[in-house]
Amino acid sequence: MMSSGKSRVKMRPPRNRDSGDVNFDESWAVLSTAMQEMYRKNASRLSYEELYRTAYTLVLKKHAERLYNSFKTFVAQHLRDIVATELAPLASNTANSLLTSTIGGGGVTSTIAVPLAAADKREGGIRFLKAVKAQWDDHCLCMRMISDILMYMDRVYCKELQLPLIYDAGLALFRDHVIRNNEFQVGEHIYAIILDQIQLERDGDIVDTSAIKAAVLMLESLTEDKIDGETVYSRSFEPKFLRSSVEFYTTETEKLSRECDSSQYLIKTEKRLQEEYERAMSYLSVTSEPKITKIVEENLITKNIVSVIRSDASGLTFMIANDRLDDLKRLYRLCKRVDPEITDLRGALNARVIQQGAEINQDALEVLKHPDKSKGVTAQNAATAAAFKWVEEVLGLKENYDRILNGTMDGDNQIQTSLTNAFSSFINQMNRCSEFLSLFIDDNLKKGLKGKTEDEAEAVLDRAITLFRYIADKDMFETYYKTHLAKRLLGGRSISDDVERMMITKLKMEVGFSFTTKLEGMFKDMKVSNDIMQEYKAHVQNTDPERTIDLTVSVLTSTNWPVSLSTVESHTCVYPPEIERIKRSFEKFYVDRHSGRVLTWNPNMGNADIRVAFRKRKHELNVSTYAMVILMLFNDLADGESLTYEEIKAATSIPDNELIRNLQSLAVVPKTRILIKQPMSKDINAADRFSFNVEFESQYIRIKIPTVAYINKTETETERKGTMDKVDELRRYQTDAAIVRIMKARKTLEHNILVAEVTGQLSSHFHPDAALIKKRIDAMLEREYIERSAENRQMYHYLA
Amino acid sequence: MADMSGDREYVRLVSSDGFEYSILRSAAAVSGTLRGMLSQSSNFVEAKQNRVVLPNISGVLLEKVCEYLYYNLKHQNNPGNIPEFDVPPEMALELLVASDFLDGKHC
């Protein structure tokens, strides 16, 4: 900026107009008077420039330090005067006032502290706050003005020596001489008043929040020396506030838990949370908000929520039972605030679901044990009814909880998991669950879904699948389902092929196709049989057109169909010669087509239509194969003759249990007494005689004679044991296969890892227990599929 | 602090020998001291009258100061290529003291 020193002009020092040393006291007098005037709000009469120059000169003359200290002393004194004259009188209105009073007539004087009336006290409090605020505002204003005048000193002296600037020094002086004034305890008064007001508001009154806010702002502006980030607010006031809040909420928690039921408690808790939040945000410091929220949460929620949930009269159980969706929503919200993992709530839900599930299981078992005979429910029907009841109730429970989960708990995943676990647990506790579910589906496919649209049918099946997912021992289910399906297919009882296939598809989606190959095989067999029958019929037309008996055969691949159908011993039967002849004919026909296959006839699943001439008229009877064989015996008998049970048995070789059943349906069941039994009784004994009932009458021409107890009953104990054994055997094979598979792939594995892998592989079928796996590993060791490692007893090697 | 209508408003600076210079408020605001003096939020006499008396600065000096204030104001926005500000050497020292007094941050 200066021009280069080309021109040789003499540089003269500036003319110094100030002569010699300046008189500090004079200058100071000027300044201090000015400051007084500022405080008295008479600044407009002052010349900024003059004051600025005065200060400037003092600093130039090296009197800065003195100036600084004089300034501080001046302000300190001024503030103390203010406190004494303006604030102290107001302070006394907020404290307890002392009165002397005379007691009795004996002239005894004593001094009692009598609190002023509450309202007066509060009025006084607010007035005090406002007065302090007024002084504070004035002070800040003056400090700004003084800071402007003394700016030169700030710039040159304070910055250099790192002293606080004038403005900041002024604030610190206010802090020390007003707020922390030992004589008059202004600060303490302020804190007490604010806390008092807060208490009022907590009790429900309206308070002057602007006054409090102003005071809080002031406290926040006063920083502490040498402590970073702390203000008078955070250091002196906030701790008191938090302490008193803890006290308040401790009592409040007690009060609420005593007086309110769970629903009320939750509502009030939310209200308090809201209130404290608003208070902190609106007139306290925002920094206090998380702290006070934490206090409320800890007291009202964390400490007490368990008893709120568990309350019998109004807790979680009550809310669920009575559909208190709002309450549940609120409960969830509050729990989630303090505990993102909502362990308490989850635990309670889990427990409740298991409890309800156990009740459902219990009810079903009760129905099984004590069927309601008055309604004509037999033991077998009862079992089926129990199955239905169970399935419906479980699904109902699930739907209820789904509604609650989605409606009130936001579909929270953790709760979802908890519920799923609870459902899994009690469903699998019911060890007849697979059987029940299969029965449910079976009944629907036979009767229940009749007349429903495809969508409706699908909906019902979807519900069944939902239940299926929870079942751990899926292979049990498979066994039952196969048996029921076989009976449906063979008896032609399924209402719709499409619906059956829909079910299979859904099962496939759930557990993969290995599960459903056999089932699909069964369907294929039926179709193939149909095709063969067409061919056979054509063949018969050509070779034996005179034949009077129509034969329809279903050829089943034995591996696909339930094991019980293919054991040979229990299905002996000696057929009448005419039947035998056509049987042979078909066998020959079939074996010609598929050499190498062996056919085994299975009489217990077939039926026959017979035309029978009674005295009155002819009827066409539809009976089981066995029944047909029995009836044909009577063809050769003369009228009036009879056969004993033993004779019938000898002639037909029908096993006892089947024989009894069929004789019962032919001779005992009231409406269909084709045979007359002597003696007439329900049981069949060896000596009973049977004769043809030529007097039989019925209004229908075509009569179906069902075999007694043909509906799918739930299994008897022995049958169930049989099923379990089969399932166990299958499981053994599957476990073995899994072990070998895994070992082959990994070559070497440690025992625990092997167990884990096996469990994982089998999980879609059933849940293997550790003992079973261990046994199978031992078996594998014996059979030398694997060996123990020499170095480590816990490791296994695969043996090729 | 800075007046919103500072662009159009003029303030007066008075030197020790009675010369009055009228400059834009925004130019005056370049000096921290002057800005504070004239700020409407202070209650001093200067602010009310929009007039500052400077008894320790001569007229010649004050003129140069005003020139500088305008110079600064004009080139505030691009600190790149600006022409030099000419200062006669005999005034240099006095100008320095004055600028210190006036808290001219940009000297």
Side-chain angles (χ1 to χ4, degrees):
Chain A
M1 256 193 44
M2 304 247 200
S3 54
S4 61
K6 273 200 200 120
S7 46
R8 278 175 282 111
V9 177
K10 270 221 207 97
M11 302 253 286
R12 275 195 299 265
R15 242 166 295 154
N16 197 346
R17 259 167 287 134
D18 305 319
S19 48
D21 201 13
V22 138
N23 187 332
F24 179 83
D25 292 317
E26 270 175 27
S27 304
W28 174 246
V30 170
L31 288 170
S32 58
T33 323
M35 292 201 270
Q36 291 273 29
E37 291 300 304
M38 281 186 223
Y39 270 113
R40 286 198 202 111
K41 316 235 173 120
N42 287 333
S44 48
R45 284 197 254 129
L46 303 168
S47 162
Y48 185 118
E49 193 278 329
E50 187 194 341
L51 300 169
Y52 182 87
R53 192 163 30 86
T54 315
Y56 167 79
T57 323
L58 282 179
V59 174
L60 277 186
K61 298 294 177 197
K62 315 255 186 272
H63 295 300
E65 190 180 344
R66 226 172 134 195
L67 176 59
Y68 191 78
N69 292 334
S70 308
F71 156 78
K72 279 173 69 172
T73 322
F74 173 83
V75 171
Q77 187 52 46
H78 173 86
L79 288 174
R80 299 189 83 86
D81 293 337
I82 292 286
V83 172
T85 51
E86 306 283 331
L87 298 180
L90 289 177
S92 67
N93 283 348
T94 68
N96 295 335
S97 164
L98 289 165
L99 294 178
T100 26
S101 77
T102 337
I103 297 183
V108 176
T109 37
S110 56
T111 314
I112 311 170
V114 175
L116 284 174
D120 287 340
K121 199 166 130 192
R122 276 148 193 168
E123 280 287 317
I126 294 291
R127 269 202 300 271
F128 183 75
L129 285 185
K130 288 192 173 156
V132 173
K133 160 100 172 111
Q135 290 303 325
W136 162 256
D137 285 341
D138 287 345
H139 178 74
C140 285
L141 191 57
C142 291
M143 283 303 111
R144 258 194 290 279
M145 291 197 275
I146 296 176
S147 166
D148 282 344
I149 307 176
L150 301 181
M151 201 198 306
Y152 192 78
M153 182 172 77
D154 259 345
R155 230 176 23 168
V156 171
Y157 174 71
C158 300
K159 282 226 177 82
E160 214 45 55
L161 297 179
Q162 308 226 316
L163 290 171
L165 298 179
I166 296 291
Y167 186 78
D168 299 327
L171 294 190
L173 287 166
F174 188 90
R175 178 193 68 215
D176 295 331
H177 295 278
V178 176
I179 304 292
R180 299 222 168 112
N181 186 317
N182 334 24
E183 219 182 312
F184 293 104
Q185 303 287 351
V186 171
E188 297 296 319
H189 274 303
I190 295 178
Y191 311 145
I193 293 170
I194 299 181
L195 288 179
D196 193 48
Q197 296 288 317
I198 292 177
Q199 184 57 39
L200 271 180
E201 210 186 36
R202 282 182 177 151
D203 287 338
D205 282 331
I206 311 241
V207 298
D208 186 343
T209 58
S210 57
I212 306 177
K213 176 124 191 94
V216 166
L217 280 175
M218 172 184 76
L219 293 174
E220 276 192 292
S221 317
L222 295 170
T223 53
E224 298 284 353
D225 288 339
K226 301 187 188 75
I227 308 175
D228 264 344
E230 286 261 18
T231 61
V232 173
Y233 176 87
S234 61
R235 192 142 164 268
S236 302
F237 173 71
E238 203 181 39
K240 287 193 162 63
F241 167 63
L242 294 177
R243 256 199 308 274
S244 82
S245 301
V246 170
E247 267 174 41
F248 173 75
Y249 276 104
T250 314
T251 11
E252 180 78 355
T253 308
E254 252 170 68
K255 177 163 159 266
L256 285 185
S257 54
R258 236 180 324 123
E259 291 174 7
C260 307
D261 66 3
S262 296
S263 165
Q264 278 297 312
Y265 184 93
L266 294 174
I267 293 177
K268 291 213 168 145
T269 303
E270 253 194 351
K271 239 177 66 168
R272 282 290 182 202
L273 281 169
Q274 187 62 21
E275 189 195 315
E276 292 298 331
Y277 176 80
E278 276 167 11
R279 175 173 307 119
M281 298 305 263
S282 69
Y283 64 82
L284 294 178
S285 163
V286 170
T287 57
S288 296
E289 190 270 320
K291 297 176 196 163
I292 180 68
T293 303
K294 191 155 157 285
I295 291 180
V296 179
E297 283 176 354
E298 253 173 35
N299 280 294
L300 283 178
I301 305 182
T302 316
K303 285 200 190 134
N304 212 18
I305 198 65
V306 175
S307 57
V308 168
I309 292 178
R310 293 227 184 110
S311 151
D312 285 325
S314 56
L316 184 65
T317 311
F318 176 82
M319 290 182 200
I320 294 177
N322 291 286
D323 251 8
R324 294 289 170 88
L325 297 179
D326 279 338
D327 287 343
L328 287 168
K329 251 195 246 186
R330 196 167 295 117
L331 180 61
Y332 173 71
R333 268 203 302 269
L334 292 175
C335 283
K336 194 123 189 159
R337 277 180 89 129
V338 295
D339 178 7
E341 297 187 0
I342 19 172
T343 24
D344 289 324
L345 187 57
R346 275 193 300 144
L349 273 174
N350 193 310
R352 178 64 190 147
V353 168
I354 292 189
Q355 201 182 31
Q356 284 179 297
E359 278 169 24
I360 294 179
N361 288 350
Q362 199 53 28
D363 284 348
L365 291 174
E366 276 297 312
V367 172
L368 273 180
K369 272 194 235 147
H370 307 286
D372 192 348
K373 298 243 164 64
S374 63
K375 294 195 187 146
V377 179
T378 64
Q380 275 85 0
N381 294 355
T384 317
F388 261 81
K389 186 165 141 65
W390 186 81
V391 170
E392 283 294 331
E393 283 182 3
V394 172
L395 284 174
L397 189 69
K398 170 141 194 359
E399 269 149 32
N400 196 24
Y401 275 99
D402 278 346
R403 196 165 49 89
I404 290 179
L405 177 66
N406 291 325
T408 66
M409 299 187 186
D410 260 353
D412 185 298
N413 279 334
Q414 295 172 309
I415 297 203
Q416 170 82 285
T417 320
S418 254
L419 287 177
T420 309
N421 288 343
F423 269 91
S424 269
S425 145
F426 85 76
I427 286 176
N428 288 303
Q429 284 247 333
M430 179 65 155
N431 52 13
R432 299 179 69 161
C433 58
S434 319
E435 201 189 330
F436 280 2
L437 181 60
S438 186
L439 272 180
F440 173 78
I441 300 175
D442 180 65
D443 190 79
N444 267 310
L445 287 170
K446 285 205 299 222
K447 316 194 270 249
L449 291 177
K450 199 173 197 163
K452 291 219 161 80
T453 67
E454 195 181 317
D455 287 335
E456 287 171 355
E458 189 164 1
V460 173
L461 293 184
D462 279 337
R463 293 177 85 210
I465 291 282
T466 321
L467 206 42
F468 175 68
R469 288 199 191 109
Y470 288 112
I471 296 182
D473 292 337
K474 295 188 162 57
D475 55 354
M476 288 275 295
F477 175 79
E478 186 186 349
T479 318
Y480 285 114
Y481 192 76
K482 268 208 317 205
T483 316
H484 293 150
L485 178 63
K487 292 196 185 141
R488 281 202 299 277
L489 286 175
L490 292 176
R493 282 165 165 264
S494 173
I495 43 165
S496 152
D497 225 32
D498 288 334
V499 178
E500 291 273 359
R501 286 187 185 283
M502 207 199 295
M503 189 67 206
I504 305 280
T505 321
K506 287 187 191 295
L507 285 174
K508 202 162 31 168
M509 284 204 294
E510 283 300 311
V511 265
F513 56 80
S514 61
F515 193 85
T516 51
T517 33
K518 299 230 171 100
L519 301 175
E520 288 182 336
M522 289 161 82
F523 275 99
K524 189 147 159 279
D525 279 345
M526 295 306 290
K527 184 164 180 310
V528 166
S529 288
N530 242 340
D531 293 339
I532 292 196
M533 281 329 295
Q534 305 285 33
E535 284 181 27
Y536 182 66
K537 287 219 182 344
H539 170 88
V540 166
Q541 274 297 77
N542 295 336
T543 57
D544 189 9
E546 300 303 315
R547 191 190 286 189
T548 49
I549 306 178
D550 253 327
L551 175 67
T552 309
V553 179
S554 299
V555 183
L556 316 176
T557 316
S558 61
T559 48
N560 284 341
W561 295 75
V563 186
S564 58
L565 290 184
S566 51
T567 45
V568 178
E569 322 78 32
S570 56
H571 299 313
T572 53
C573 188
V574 173
Y575 295 94
E578 309 90 330
I579 307 292
E580 192 62 39
R581 195 164 59 81
I582 56 175
K583 239 180 89 204
R584 295 260 151 91
S585 151
F586 180 80
E587 274 176 23
K588 185 165 176 311
F589 167 78
Y590 188 83
V591 169
D592 276 347
R593 282 204 166 25
H594 304 281
S595 66
R597 290 193 186 175
V598 175
L599 286 181
T600 313
W601 291 90
N602 210 324
N604 71 343
M605 300 248 76
N607 56 39
D609 291 328
I610 317 183
R611 256 170 266 138
V612 184
F614 296 96
R615 192 188 303 284
K616 275 267 170 75
R617 48 162 133 142
K618 284 199 189 143
H619 288 282
E620 197 175 292
L621 305 176
N622 177 282
V623 295
S624 72
T625 310
Y626 285 129
M628 172 206 56
V629 171
I630 297 172
L631 284 179
M632 299 277 288
L633 286 180
F634 288 85
N635 249 349
D636 306 323
L637 277 186
D639 283 346
E641 276 190 20
S642 60
L643 292 171
T644 65
Y645 175 83
E646 289 292 328
E647 288 168 343
I648 299 179
K649 183 163 160 200
T652 62
S653 301
I654 296 177
D656 278 310
N657 57 339
E658 297 289 344
L659 188 53
I660 292 177
R661 257 177 63 193
N662 282 285
L663 282 174
Q664 275 178 333
S665 26
L666 290 174
V668 174
V669 175
K671 288 236 166 76
T672 57
R673 296 222 179 112
I674 311 296
L675 300 174
I676 304 173
K677 177 171 171 297
Q678 284 151 344
M680 188 58 228
S681 62
K682 277 223 183 114
D683 311 320
I684 310 280
N685 299 312
D688 291 349
R689 303 199 78 85
F690 296 88
S691 55
F692 181 63
N693 180 12
V694 74
E695 308 295 331
F696 176 78
E697 280 181 12
S698 166
Q699 46 180 176
Y700 305 109
I701 294 194
R702 213 190 122 75
I703 309 166
K704 185 170 161 76
I705 304 187
T707 321
V708 162
Y710 190 66
I711 8 169
N712 270 333
K713 57 187 193 305
T714 52
E715 296 176 313
T716 60
E717 278 304 313
T718 38
E719 281 179 0
R720 199 167 317 119
K721 185 155 180 329
T723 320
M724 279 304 300
D725 285 341
K726 271 177 246 148
V727 172
D728 278 337
E729 203 184 318
L730 271 171
R731 285 181 179 177
R732 278 200 287 276
Y733 293 140
Q734 283 182 322
T735 315
D736 290 347
I739 295 176
V740 174
R741 218 177 9 244
I742 294 172
M743 286 308 297
K744 187 165 176 192
R746 320 264 248 150
K747 300 282 187 256
T748 308
L749 259 195
E750 213 239 312
H751 174 86
N752 290 333
I753 306 182
L754 179 60
V755 172
E757 291 278 333
V758 171
T759 313
Q761 279 215 5
L762 295 174
S763 64
S764 63
H765 293 283
F766 67 98
H767 183 74
D769 69 61
L772 170 68
I773 300 184
K774 185 150 190 335
K775 258 208 214 131
R776 298 324 297 163
I777 295 180
D778 288 338
M780 291 289 105
L781 282 169
E782 230 179 80
R783 289 157 61 184
E784 298 195 357
Y785 277 94
I786 56 179
E787 66 172 0
R788 279 231 163 80
S789 153
E791 311 88 51
N792 179 357
R793 291 281 301 172
Q794 292 288 84
M795 297 277 278
Y796 301 107
H797 289 310
Y798 175 70
L799 288 174
Chain B
M1 287 268 284
D3 221 277
M4 280 306 126
S5 53
D7 269 358
R8 288 290 131 235
E9 217 182 305
Y10 282 83
V11 297
R12 311 239 227 101
L13 306 180
V14 184
S15 72
S16 56
D17 37 358
F19 286 101
E20 281 202 21
Y21 297 89
S22 212
I23 60 170
L24 281 175
R25 185 182 280 273
S26 46
V30 172
S31 147
T33 318
L34 289 179
R35 184 172 59 232
M37 281 190 204
L38 294 162
S39 132
Q40 298 294 35
S41 58
S42 83
N43 289 330
F44 293 102
V45 112
E46 282 85 357
K48 296 228 158 37
Q49 295 175 351
N50 282 335
R51 184 171 176 272
V52 179
V53 181
L54 297 159
N56 57 338
I57 304 184
S58 70
V60 183
L61 209 50
L62 189 54
E63 189 176 338
K64 207 64 180 168
V65 167
C66 292
E67 205 181 306
Y68 176 72
L69 292 175
Y70 270 102
Y71 169 83
N72 190 296
L73 186 68
K74 187 164 153 207
H75 298 287
Q76 247 167 19
N77 289 333
N78 58 332
N81 285 325
I82 49 177
E84 244 183 66
F85 184 76
D86 184 44
V87 179
E90 58 268 19
M91 253 198 247
L93 227 37
E94 287 176 344
L95 205 53
L96 206 52
V97 172
S99 78
D100 178 50
F101 178 81
L102 293 172
D103 185 24
K105 291 191 269 289
H106 313 284
C107 288

